[in-house]
Amino acid sequence: MGYAQLVIGPAGSGKSTYCSSLYEHCVAARRTINIVNLDPAAENFDYPVAMDIRELISLEDVMEELGLGPNGGLMYCMENRVALAILFRHLEDNLDDWLEEELDNYLDDDYLVFDCPGQIELYSHVPVLKNFVEHLKRKNFNICAVYLLDSQFMSDVTKFISGCMACLSAMVQLELPHVNILSKMDLVTNKKDLEEFLDPEPTFLLSELNQRMGPQFAKLNKALIELVNNYSMVSFIPLDLRKERSIQYVLNQIDNCIQYGEDADVKVKDFDPEDDDE
């Protein structure tokens, strides 16, 4: 049986930085993981790339198909939905064959971390990533989706609910065990301002939302809070990449989700936010 993390989340949420820090942490702990790049637009990496989707498709390939010149071509491919559609279509048509060949290089108990692109379409309605997950399951991989949300979403209840909705959409689409991470905690100056949002009460969220929205949105606010609460996903693990114990705590949670190291009786210490402020 193989094990895998699918690292997803909006663009700029810190997915590649998380993968790099996780790799360094595991090297220091003498633990082997393999980082896979699934972003055709990626250019530079702070970790060794074990598998690279750019061997299958790159932005240069899209530029050539669209007849683009060098000036502004990269920006066009990053922002234009036609270019993204070509990328996704090519990935969907060829990903399984590429993945099948690449996975033959790994043993049954290998641990893979997939660094995914930030286009929200991949996690909401485009089927390519869902099909990718199904292929991994057929190869007998235990998989956990690791959803990163930038800590700025915790400073405002409306941004927080927006982030929760995007996260919930990914959960429904991918149908995987989910670990939600609040990233970039090292950039937060006052962590106490975020405590109420880490594991909030529905009544608190509804009250805050009603205060910020007009009275005509009261029923919508109530429905949104009930939806989030019913799926029991409003819980985020704060991650400070400067602190090894924070990285280890997140890794322990993910390992438990995918039953990695179950025979070794992995023990998880309760997370204490007060310790994290030291």
Side-chain angles (χ1 to χ4, degrees), residues 7-16 115-121 123 146-150 152-153 162-164 166-167 170 181 183-184 236:
V7 183
I8 62 177
S13 58
K15 297 183 294 296
S16 293
D115 187 2
C116 297
Q119 282 76 22
I120 200 65
E121 293 93 333
Y123 319 126
V146 180
Y147 193 98
L148 269 65
L149 186 67
D150 194 322
Q152 66 173 331
F153 280 98
S162 175
C164 286
C167 183
I181 294 177
S183 62
K184 302 184 181 181
F236 291 88

Side-chain angles (χ1 to χ4, degrees), residues 154-155 188-198 204:
M154 294 295 194
S155 62
V188 177
T189 55
N190 188 358
K191 295 182 176 61
K192 292 187 180 297
D193 292 340
L194 305 181
E195 288 181 359
E196 291 180 314
F197 289 106
L198 292 178
F204 165 77

Side-chain angles (χ1 to χ4, degrees), residues 17-227:
T17 302
Y18 162 80
C19 290
S20 175
S21 298
L22 183 64
Y23 179 82
E24 293 177 359
H25 174 83
C26 288
V27 168
R30 298 182 178 179
R31 173 173 167 178
T32 301
I33 65 170
N34 304 281
I35 312 293
V36 180
N37 172 47
L38 285 186
D39 187 355
E43 294 182 334
N44 302 308
F45 303 95
D46 293 328
Y47 54 77
V49 181
M51 295 162 53
D52 194 342
I53 193 65
R54 295 176 304 173
E55 297 173 2
L56 174 63
I57 181 71
S58 68
L59 286 178
E60 285 75 15
D61 299 325
V62 178
M63 292 166 60
E64 182 177 351
E65 183 170 340
L66 291 175
L68 296 171
N71 294 332
L74 180 60
M75 288 300 298
Y76 179 86
C77 284
M78 290 293 290
E79 297 177 357
N80 191 276
R81 287 182 178 272
V82 175
L84 286 177
I86 293 174
L87 272 173
F88 295 154
R89 186 186 69 228
H90 190 86
L91 288 176
E92 188 169 7
D93 290 342
N94 299 279
L95 188 56
D96 281 354
D97 291 339
W98 173 81
L99 184 63
E100 183 78 29
E101 182 178 342
E102 290 291 332
L103 289 179
D104 288 341
N105 298 320
Y106 296 91
L107 302 175
D108 290 341
D109 59 348
D110 274 329
Y111 197 116
L112 304 180
V113 178
F114 294 93
D115 187 2
C116 297
Q119 282 76 22
I120 200 65
E121 293 93 333
L122 285 170
Y123 319 126
S124 58
H125 59 279
V126 175
V128 57
L129 203 59
K130 170 68 173 176
N131 295 339
F132 172 78
V133 166
E134 293 301 321
H135 188 98
L136 285 177
K137 289 180 179 178
R138 291 194 297 270
K139 296 291 289 184
N140 204 28
F141 270 81
N142 279 359
I143 317 163
C144 176
V146 180
Y147 193 98
L148 269 65
L149 186 67
D150 194 322
S151 55
Q152 66 173 331
F153 280 98
M154 294 295 194
S155 62
D156 184 296
V157 68
T158 55
K159 292 180 179 179
F160 173 73
I161 294 299
S162 175
C164 286
M165 290 295 101
C167 183
L168 181 56
S169 177
M171 291 177 65
V172 173
Q173 170 79 350
L174 298 177
E175 298 181 327
L176 288 174
H178 235 70
V179 171
N180 304 312
I181 294 177
L182 183 62
S183 62
K184 302 184 181 181
M185 286 295 292
D186 53 305
L187 302 180
V188 177
T189 55
N190 188 358
K191 295 182 176 61
K192 292 187 180 297
D193 292 340
L194 305 181
E195 288 181 359
E196 291 180 314
F197 289 106
L198 292 178
D199 193 10
E201 292 292 331
T203 53
F204 165 77
L205 291 177
L206 183 58
S207 174
E208 289 290 309
L209 202 55
N210 284 335
Q211 290 181 30
R212 291 181 175 270
M213 306 288 286
Q216 66 270 31
F217 295 105
K219 291 184 178 179
L220 175 61
N221 293 341
K222 185 174 183 294
L224 287 173
I225 299 303
E226 288 178 349
L227 177 63

Side-chain angles (χ1 to χ4, degrees), residues 257-270:
C257 281
I258 58 178
Q259 299 177 320
Y260 176 80
E262 195 173 61
D263 295 338
D265 294 328
V266 175
K267 297 181 179 179
V268 180
K269 179 182 177 182
D270 290 338

